[in-house]
Amino acid sequence: MIILKSERDLEAMRPACAVAGAVLSEVAAFIQPGVTTRQVDEFAAVRMKHYGAKSAFLGYRKFPCHLCLSVNEQVVHGLAGDRALKFGDIVSLDCGVVYNGFIGDTARTVAVGGCGVGAQWLMDVTEQALHEGIAQALPGKRVTDISRAIQNYVEGNGFSVVREFVGHGVGRTMHEEPQVPNFVDPKSNQKLRPGMTLAIEPMVNAGSPDVKILKDGWTVVARDGSLSAHFEHTVLITEGEPEILTCPEKMPSKLKVS
């Protein structure tokens, strides 16, 4: 069942999404060579607590970390640990917070100090693919319009979209209907209606779209070892243009604490 958010719901959900965006921006700025993924996760936990929020991921289906931290060929659901980030790595940061009883979900891939041209192009294409999808998040259109825009942009630039993991509705719970694939799937063809809140999140591999899950039971990697990037926003379907909820600049002034 697709849950349409009322204006009262959105009054609570907008700050939750803004907090997620703010924490993600702060974590991205914290990334530098020599920092371990565990230190990144601990920093994120501190920033979430600072805003009075908590991780939406920690404990979810027994997930053991506050963030998903996926490095290089890791696609999603990477775990924090002793790995020290190196100059030239790219790391996908997926941040979900619970605040006001609602979830904000957002992700981006960043370079550690700097990266090669190919890695930067992968990140640029993935980020733009997200915005191509968001541009289709209009009332009366369908989920497949979002999916087609993402797939066409990614594949038109020589990369591939992961098929085993997709975007989704989000609200009081992490995963709501509908699923939002990054490729055209006729089974995900729901009409977009005002009040729908969608986590749109292209996951893009430089090589084959095929993935596998490591022995830790969580970390998803590109099967061919190619680089992967991930960008995500929580988006509201309105009567007009889509509203990106997970922008840190949307933070209510009473939450803008340092």
Side-chain angles (χ1 to χ4, degrees), residues 42-257:
E42 290 170 347
F43 177 80
V46 169
R47 299 313 297 164
M48 290 175 190
K49 184 177 180 180
H50 172 77
Y51 290 113
K54 63 180 182 178
S55 172
F57 299 162
L58 182 65
Y60 181 72
R61 297 178 181 173
K62 299 184 179 179
F63 188 75
C65 305
H66 296 86
L67 292 176
C68 298
L69 296 127
S70 307
V71 184
N72 294 334
E73 78 284 357
Q74 297 175 352
V75 180
V76 286
H77 305 162
L79 302 181
D82 295 330
R83 179 175 187 167
L85 298 174
K86 303 193 302 280
F87 183 92
D89 286 342
I90 62 171
V91 55
S92 295
L93 306 165
D94 192 353
C95 177
V97 305
V98 182
Y99 183 85
N100 285 342
F102 281 89
I103 291 170
D105 192 7
T106 183
R108 75 171 71 162
T109 304
V110 298
V112 181
C115 65
V117 173
Q120 186 62 57
W121 179 236
L122 172 66
M123 292 189 292
D124 290 346
V125 167
T126 307
E127 184 173 19
Q128 184 57 38
L130 169 60
H131 290 285
E132 296 290 323
I134 291 172
Q136 296 300 312
L138 300 168
K141 291 215 169 193
R142 294 186 178 271
V143 171
T144 44
D145 292 308
I146 297 173
S147 304
R148 183 177 296 105
I150 292 172
Q151 182 177 11
N152 286 350
Y153 190 81
V154 169
E155 294 179 352
N157 280 282
F159 298 123
S160 61
V161 291
V162 171
R163 283 161 167 72
E164 283 83 349
F165 298 89
V166 299
H168 50 90
V170 63
R172 290 188 181 274
T173 58
M174 175 64 67
H175 293 108
E176 297 181 351
E177 292 296 326
Q179 291 193 341
V180 186
N182 299 305
F183 58 96
V184 176
D185 182 350
K187 297 189 297 294
S188 295
N189 196 32
Q190 295 89 342
K191 184 175 287 189
L192 302 179
R193 298 164 60 193
M196 293 171 68
T197 46
L198 307 177
I200 302 174
E201 51 176 325
M203 290 152 272
V204 177
N205 290 352
S208 164
D210 297 334
V211 300
K212 63 180 180 180
I213 300 176
L214 298 184
K215 291 181 180 179
D216 62 24
W218 284 106
T219 308
V220 179
V221 301
R223 186 174 290 275
D224 62 6
S226 62
L227 292 178
S228 188
H230 178 204
F231 283 81
E232 175 183 22
H233 273 306
T234 299
V235 177
L236 169 67
I237 309 300
T238 74
E239 296 286 353
E241 294 298 311
E243 180 183 347
I244 299 174
L245 299 177
T246 41
C247 292
E249 58 266 26
K250 290 180 176 289
M251 183 80 76
S253 58
K254 66 179 181 179
L255 291 178
K256 292 179 180 176
V257 289

